[in-house]
Amino acid sequence: MAQDPPPELVREIAPTGTLRAAINYGNVVLAQKGTDGEPSGVSAALARELGRRLNVPVAFTTFDTAGAVVDALAGPKPWDMAFLAIDPHRAETIAFSPPYVIIEGTYMVPAGSPITQNDQVDRPGVRIAVGRNTAYDLYLGRHLKAAERVFAPTSLDAVMVFARDHLEAVASVRQPLEAYAREHPDVRVLPGRFMVIEQAVAIPRGREKAAAYMSQFIEEMKASGFVAEALTNSGQRDAAVAPKSRVP
């Protein structure tokens, strides 16, 4: 992959001359706040590497939820790249790269719950706490037939709502649920997963050359071991690097 992309491509990726990168702190697998207060984790590492290759500065804007990241694209603080789960509804306004990380969406239930498998959750009377407009919220909204979603502002808040209101389940990313369960013996995480969450780089639609470059960039970052190293360096060894994708 060329280390010095042509100026017209740089302008399409970063039209202001600065790469404006949106970081979602709501997904602890991908982003954490560093000791210096700056974003860290695989998302921030990818943004900084892209900025280095484009020879432009990187400016981070941070958010607490993926939904806020999506909304910001049309707001006063638009971004040039973000890190979001691939979703058909989001794809109406956002172009996605191939996935770079695969994360499992799973449920946590009370320790004494009769629910033991993921396919037992979608039943009448089951209330599922979920962060509004997260990837798993959007997925459950398309697939649930009988269970009810109970919305919280963020995924962290969803766990609190689950515990406070004695709900039947909470849906989220596996890693933070397992961390919570290790400290709270009154809950347990169900085995397996109800969905695979494909995390990708997102850019605004209409930037075709930028989208093609981003896809090649992500494939190189996976193949070179950059993504795996960034996950390890940020303490996310349980997260899986996405397999190779076919890029035009």
Side-chain angles (χ1 to χ4, degrees), residues 40-245:
S40 65
V42 64
S43 296
L46 286 169
R48 291 186 175 105
E49 175 62 16
L50 181 62
R52 185 188 70 80
R53 293 187 178 211
L54 300 179
N55 196 28
V56 297
V58 179
F60 291 109
T61 304
T62 60
F63 301 85
D64 292 329
T65 68
V69 173
V70 175
D71 292 342
L73 184 57
K77 295 183 178 180
W79 39 262
D80 302 311
M81 72 180 305
F83 302 87
L84 296 165
I86 297 173
D87 180 85
H89 177 69
R90 294 173 179 170
E92 294 174 4
T93 56
I94 292 169
F96 288 101
S97 75
Y100 62 94
V101 168
I102 300 295
I103 299 173
E104 292 183 330
T106 190
Y107 296 114
M108 186 169 69
V109 299
S113 172
I115 298 172
T116 59
Q117 301 294 331
N118 288 291
D119 59 7
Q120 297 172 348
V121 173
D122 190 12
R123 294 180 177 180
V126 173
R127 298 164 299 169
I128 307 169
V130 63
R132 189 184 293 273
N133 289 329
T134 56
Y136 22 98
D137 172 32
L138 298 176
Y139 177 90
L140 293 175
R142 293 191 298 269
H143 291 87
L144 288 178
K145 299 295 190 293
E148 172 192 358
R149 286 174 294 163
V150 177
F151 299 111
T154 69
S155 296
L156 178 60
D157 291 326
V159 176
M160 300 303 104
V161 169
F162 160 77
R164 182 195 68 201
D165 296 345
H166 306 288
L167 302 186
E168 286 72 36
V170 57
S172 189
V173 173
R174 172 174 295 281
Q175 284 88 342
L177 290 185
E178 289 183 337
Y180 182 91
R182 284 193 291 270
E183 297 182 0
H184 297 81
D186 57 336
V187 300
R188 55 184 167 83
V189 177
L190 295 186
R193 64 200 183 199
F194 67 83
M195 71 174 297
V196 172
I197 304 170
E198 296 182 316
Q199 297 289 341
V201 171
I203 66 170
R205 278 207 170 276
R207 302 181 184 182
E208 285 78 11
K209 292 180 180 178
Y213 181 89
M214 205 69 72
S215 294
Q216 295 175 10
F217 170 73
I218 287 301
E219 286 304 305
E220 181 182 333
M221 294 297 94
K222 292 189 296 186
S224 68
F226 184 98
V227 173
E229 183 177 2
L231 289 169
T232 298
N233 290 343
S234 57
Q236 305 301 318
R237 295 176 179 83
D238 293 337
V241 178
K244 180 179 179 180
S245 301

